Amino acid sequence: AQKVTQAQTEISVVEKEDVTLDCVYETRDTTYYLFWYKQPPSGELVFLIRRNSFDEQNEISGRYSWNFQKSTSSFNFTITASQVVDSAVYFCALSEARNTGTASKLTFGTGTRLQVTL
Amino acid sequence: NAGVTQTPKFQVLKTGQSMTLQCAQDMNHEYMSWYRQDPGMGLRLIHYSVGAGITDQGEVPNGYNVSRSTTEDFPLRLLSAAPSQTSVYFCASSYSNGGYTFGSGTRLTVV
């Protein structure tokens, strides 16, 4: 069975601080996808990134960066120079990557609520 | 605009009432699913479908029914609503493992 653990329930930072959101996963699948989603106060789910288990390169997108370490089953998300608009709940998720290319179930962590204050 | 459309956005039910949450997508995605979101629990899978005529249970299926008569639609039925079903419900579709498109959610309150 797949499992995603986000041990940090809530994090509070002051604007311009860097913050890292942790994600640890468990899976028996040899190939899988990892995701991060943002849920702002308005409630919708905003896709941030998808990472294939074959690709362990770190990724940077503006102030966002992701560190994927297969050896420790972690996929951590860092926001550099946080802003008030980053305040949201962030979810890490995992799905099996089937060689048929068909979609499979997405398993979510419980989320980390990030509060950025002035 | 292409995407996943959920209706209604808000609903209040009395215990024992039935209702259907609608989900429609116009992207020809084979895979569709329903999640519920509760505080501190993340999103949990209720039911999913890998194509028309095929459905299966997820992590928390009790109290919910689904059907998939067309590729586009995947309604979620509550036959006899209970207060424990108060939650935010999300529908999602996917063409492959490449990505999931989520609806905007339905906030359901059962009193």
Side-chain angles (χ1 to χ4, degrees):
Chain A
Q2 297 180 331
K3 184 178 179 181
V4 177
T5 301
Q6 295 180 256
Q8 304 153 309
T9 305
E10 288 194 38
I11 301 176
S12 292
V13 299
V14 177
E15 200 175 43
K16 298 183 183 177
E17 284 185 3
D18 299 345
V19 58
T20 295
L21 309 182
D22 297 333
C23 174
V24 175
Y25 62 92
E26 297 175 28
T27 181
R28 294 178 182 172
D29 298 321
T30 54
T31 57
Y32 48 89
Y33 288 101
L34 293 162
F35 302 79
W36 275 96
Y37 287 87
K38 175 182 179 180
Q39 187 176 46
S42 54
E44 74 272 22
L45 287 164
V46 179
F47 168 79
L48 295 178
I49 189 172
R50 180 196 68 155
R51 172 65 68 209
N52 187 308
S53 56
F54 287 144
D55 183 2
E56 289 194 65
Q57 285 189 344
N58 292 332
E59 180 155 341
I60 299 174
S61 176
R63 295 184 297 106
Y64 295 170
S65 62
W66 291 269
N67 180 269
F68 175 33
Q69 291 196 343
K70 209 168 180 178
S71 61
T72 56
S73 297
S74 65
F75 187 45
N76 296 338
F77 172 32
T78 297
I79 302 175
T80 302
S82 60
Q83 299 176 2
V84 172
V85 293
D86 296 327
S87 297
V89 180
Y90 291 86
F91 291 99
C92 182
L94 166 71
S95 74
E96 176 191 357
R98 296 180 176 169
N99 54 16
T100 57
T102 55
S104 63
K105 292 178 282 185
L106 194 58
T107 300
F108 283 84
T110 52
T112 298
R113 181 178 299 277
L114 175 65
Q115 183 72 39
V116 182
T117 56
L118 293 172
Chain B
N1 291 336
V4 176
T5 302
Q6 285 185 240
T7 56
K9 292 190 182 303
F10 301 94
Q11 183 71 49
V12 178
L13 287 179
K14 294 182 179 179
T15 297
Q17 285 185 319
S18 63
M19 81 158 295
T20 299
L21 307 185
Q22 301 291 345
C23 177
Q25 52 93 5
D26 57 2
M27 298 169 285
N28 202 34
H29 288 176
E30 291 295 325
Y31 182 90
M32 296 186 73
S33 55
W34 276 102
Y35 289 85
R36 60 177 288 172
Q37 181 181 12
D38 302 294
M41 305 288 286
L43 280 81
R44 293 180 293 168
L45 183 65
I46 305 171
H47 285 285
Y48 64 99
S49 169
V50 297
I54 306 169
T55 63
D56 206 346
Q57 297 181 348
E59 181 185 355
V60 288
N62 292 341
Y64 307 95
N65 281 347
V66 292
S67 60
R68 185 92 180 272
S69 56
T70 66
T71 299
E72 294 77 21
D73 300 298
F74 191 44
L76 179 71
R77 297 184 184 85
L78 285 71
L79 298 180
S80 179
S84 61
Q85 294 178 305
T86 293
S87 187
V88 179
Y89 292 85
F90 286 97
C91 179
S93 72
S94 176
Y95 62 91
S96 72
N97 288 315
Y100 297 79
T101 302
F102 283 85
S104 57
T106 295
R107 186 173 295 273
L108 175 68
T109 302
V110 182
V111 298

